[in-house]
Amino acid sequence: MANWTVYIADDQTLFRKGMARLVKSFPKVKVVKEAANGQEVLDLVAEEEPQAILMDLEMPKVDGIEATEKILAKYPDVKIIILSMHDTQQHIYYLMELGAHAFLLKNAEPEEVKEAIESVITKDFYQNELVVEALRKGTMDLRKKKMQRPLFNNTAPLSDREKEVLLLVCREYTMKEIGAKLALSEKTIQNHRARIMEKIGAKNTVGMVKYAYETDLIK
């Protein structure tokens, strides 16, 4: 049984408290704390790092984008799930650029909230249709503008095995599941993952997924 700590950052009291009650009902979540603005969630994280944060974007004092940037820079193990009513693909792609681990609309079903929390904590990323379409659209826009992404500065091409591992990571397999599928140890898969990230200059799974889209490993 997991004992996860999850923070809810949202300035709308009714929504925040409702979300907190929902998250508290999840079996693997032990502690839920609330923040009414970005500064409060920054203060909470400084006291104790949670496994995940459900982060609203439009908050007073410090907004969700600034709070996300600061948390990811200082606490890279904390997973950020963005909560928003804005579902434009450009908006979502920008948040993925920041390193957010998931994106949910505020009217998401309870089961998807549960799935997103479990996925970002155990697999580092939650990929729903909103994120997939945003990554595809963002990649197409980059190609139209003939821009070079500074994030992916390859020092060496990926091997066939590394591409295989990367594609399974993008399909949200855990390291253990990838090892079982490829008949390799979990440690070997972790080593492959580390080499992939080093080669492409990615900092996390979000970066790996973006790389896969932008290099046509995922069509």
Side-chain angles (χ1 to χ4, degrees), residues 103-171:
F103 183 97
L104 295 177
L105 292 178
K106 284 193 170 184
N107 60 0
E109 293 294 330
E111 187 58 35
E112 185 177 19
V113 176
K114 181 173 179 286
E115 183 181 356
I117 291 172
E118 293 184 355
S119 185
V120 297
I121 292 175
T122 61
K123 303 173 186 177
D124 200 39
F125 188 59
Y126 174 65
Q127 188 172 197
N128 55 8
E129 191 60 31
L130 287 169
V131 169
V132 169
E133 289 304 316
L135 288 170
R136 287 174 178 161
K137 180 65 164 54
T139 299
M140 290 173 60
D141 288 346
L142 286 172
R143 287 175 181 153
K144 287 178 182 177
K145 295 176 182 177
K146 297 182 180 180
M147 295 173 64
Q148 292 293 323
R149 297 290 309 139
L151 179 61
F152 304 119
N153 182 21
N154 293 62
T155 57
L158 298 183
S159 68
D160 289 341
R161 175 64 83 188
E162 288 167 346
K163 290 178 182 177
E164 197 171 15
V165 170
L166 176 55
L167 286 172
L168 290 172
V169 168
C170 292
R171 292 173 186 146

Side-chain angles (χ1 to χ4, degrees), residues 68-69 72 89-101 125 134-135 138-139 142 147 149-152 203-204 206-207 210-211 214:
T68 294
E69 289 176 327
L72 292 176
Q89 293 173 343
Q90 186 177 20
H91 185 73
I92 298 170
Y93 189 79
Y94 173 71
L95 294 166
M96 294 298 106
E97 288 275 274
L98 289 182
H101 301 82
F125 188 59
L135 288 170
T139 299
L142 286 172
M147 295 173 64
R149 297 290 309 139
L151 179 61
F152 304 119
K203 296 179 180 179
N204 51 31
V206 180
K210 287 178 76 281
Y211 173 88
E214 293 179 16

Side-chain angles (χ1 to χ4, degrees), residues 22-55:
L22 172 66
V23 174
K24 283 177 183 176
S25 73
F26 299 156
K28 295 181 180 180
V29 177
K30 183 179 181 180
V31 177
V32 175
K33 295 183 180 180
E34 301 176 36
N37 56 65
Q39 186 57 56
E40 286 187 12
V41 77
L42 288 170
D43 293 340
L44 284 176
V45 176
E47 292 174 5
E48 179 186 3
E49 291 184 40
Q51 274 70 48
I53 300 173
L54 295 173
M55 182 81 75

Side-chain angles (χ1 to χ4, degrees), residues 171-199:
R171 292 173 186 146
E172 299 185 72
Y173 283 74
T174 64
M175 296 296 101
K176 185 176 182 180
E177 289 169 343
I178 295 173
K181 191 172 183 66
L182 300 181
L184 296 170
S185 70
E186 185 175 351
K187 178 65 174 176
T188 298
I189 299 303
Q190 289 173 343
N191 289 339
H192 279 307
R193 184 180 187 275
R195 283 197 295 272
I196 292 167
M197 292 176 68
E198 182 180 359
K199 284 184 176 182

